[in-house]
Amino acid sequence: KQWYQRRVAITAGGILALLLNTEIFFDFVGSLTFISCSILCLMFDETPEVSTSIKEIKVIQMVCVCLWAGKLGSFLLYRVLKSDGDKRFVEIKKSKVRFFRVWMIQGAWVYLNMVPSLFVFTAKKENPRFALVSLAGWALYAFGLIFETVADYQKTMFRSKEENKEKFITTGLWSISRHPNYFGEILLWYGLFIAAVPYFTSPFNYLSILCPTLTALLIIKISGVPMLEKSGLKKWGDDPKYIEYLNTTSSIIPCLGGDNKHKTA
């Protein structure tokens, strides 16, 4: 039932965005879907529970998902409202079909990321023998969330200063990674996967590692890093300092070193 409601919500959001020709609430609706699905999973969970502590475990997993979604959704909504639009959609909005398809893909992305957590939400009892595995997963999630939040805050503060309007950030976490916010996001999804491992009921459940892996690939190879790197080269490609930054600073994983393949345009 909750997944039917999720699909209805995403479709309604896509139709409204299509009619208004706006992407302003794209990320906000996606985040709201994560939150509503997590809460609904617990509200309508009919799995017979044989212990009380499993409910607490489900709540922790739900809070983790909701905390990330609430933080990211509100931040991205604030950013898109302040910048008067999302650059990712400049070309996409030229095609109504493509624009609507992106909304539907977002629905699939929400489900994909939620799959590991579903094993927690439908668990009958806790698994005390592997309790440390869940704790390790939540610890990794917390580290990733904090890393992402700090990176977003640092960049927001940097951009808020008038003297930095046309500059690129190379301070704070951005001095050890060109995309530290993405690094944090990738970590937190793997953390939620690890937290769910003790509640897998079949060897096939381990295939859900593909969920955070596909998210990582989407960020690194398709919609995240490539688009920002292309935009950065277009804006600062003739700046030797920017080229040096690309060549000496890791793209995602901090402190690994740069690409060392870029030359001044």
Side-chain angles (χ1 to χ4, degrees):
K1 182 178 180 181
Q2 53 265 40
W3 298 110
Y4 169 75
Q5 293 170 333
R6 170 192 63 81
R7 176 56 64 185
V8 170
I10 288 289
T11 303
I15 293 173
L16 181 60
L18 201 64
L19 293 174
L20 298 177
N21 195 36
T22 180
E23 75 287 357
I24 288 178
F25 48 88
F26 178 81
D27 291 304
F28 182 74
V29 169
S31 298
L32 196 61
T33 307
F34 273 106
I35 294 172
S36 61
C37 285
S38 298
I39 294 174
L40 288 170
C41 277
L42 263 64
M43 287 179 61
F44 294 98
D45 180 24
E46 297 178 353
T47 304
E49 298 170 352
V50 297
S51 68
T52 55
S53 57
I54 187 61
K55 177 64 74 175
E56 297 171 357
I57 293 170
K58 292 180 180 183
V59 169
I60 292 174
Q61 191 81 353
M62 179 202 71
V63 169
C64 286
V65 174
C66 292
L67 191 60
W68 167 82
K71 189 278 300 184
L72 189 66
S74 57
F75 170 73
L76 293 178
L77 180 63
Y78 163 79
R79 189 175 68 179
V80 76
L81 288 174
K82 191 172 181 179
S83 60
D84 194 31
D86 190 328
K87 294 179 181 178
R88 296 175 299 173
F89 288 86
V90 173
E91 293 298 322
I92 293 175
K93 287 197 300 182
K94 293 179 180 179
S95 168
K96 299 293 184 182
V97 174
R98 188 182 177 192
F99 190 30
F100 186 72
R101 187 168 62 233
V102 168
W103 276 87
M104 296 301 98
I105 292 174
Q106 178 178 239
W109 179 70
V110 170
Y111 179 77
L112 186 70
N113 278 297
M114 288 291 293
V115 167
S117 294
L118 291 179
F119 296 114
V120 179
F121 295 148
T122 57
K124 295 181 180 180
K125 61 179 180 179
E126 74 279 9
N127 192 338
R129 287 199 306 164
F130 297 98
L132 289 178
V133 175
S134 289
L135 290 175
W138 290 326
L140 182 62
Y141 160 87
F143 178 80
L145 182 66
I146 292 171
F147 205 90
E148 179 185 47
T149 303
V150 171
D152 286 335
Y153 175 77
Q154 289 176 340
K155 192 169 188 178
T156 299
M157 291 299 99
F158 179 84
R159 285 181 169 178
S160 66
K161 297 179 181 179
E162 188 63 30
E163 63 267 26
N164 295 330
K165 189 174 182 180
E166 296 299 326
K167 296 180 180 179
F168 53 92
I169 182 172
T170 60
T171 56
L173 295 179
W174 300 83
S175 66
I176 57 176
S177 171
R178 303 202 301 270
H179 305 281
N181 52 338
Y182 286 153
F183 175 69
E185 181 159 348
I186 291 170
L187 282 187
L188 69 86
W189 285 117
Y190 275 111
L192 290 179
F193 163 79
I194 293 171
V197 167
Y199 306 98
F200 290 170
T201 57
S202 164
F204 292 106
N205 294 161
Y206 286 91
L207 290 175
S208 62
I209 195 175
L210 293 174
C211 299
T213 300
L214 288 174
T215 293
L217 290 174
L218 184 68
I219 289 173
I220 297 171
K221 297 295 185 180
I222 302 176
S223 67
V225 173
M227 293 177 69
L228 291 176
E229 299 272 273
K230 183 179 179 180
S231 175
L233 284 170
K234 186 177 181 180
K235 184 180 291 186
W236 301 298
D238 57 350
D239 186 340
K241 291 184 178 180
Y242 181 69
I243 298 302
E244 182 183 2
Y245 177 63
L246 294 179
N247 289 332
T248 58
T249 308
S250 172
S251 176
I252 293 289
I253 303 176
C255 304
L256 282 189
D259 301 332
N260 201 30
K261 64 180 182 180
H262 298 278
K263 297 181 179 179
T264 306

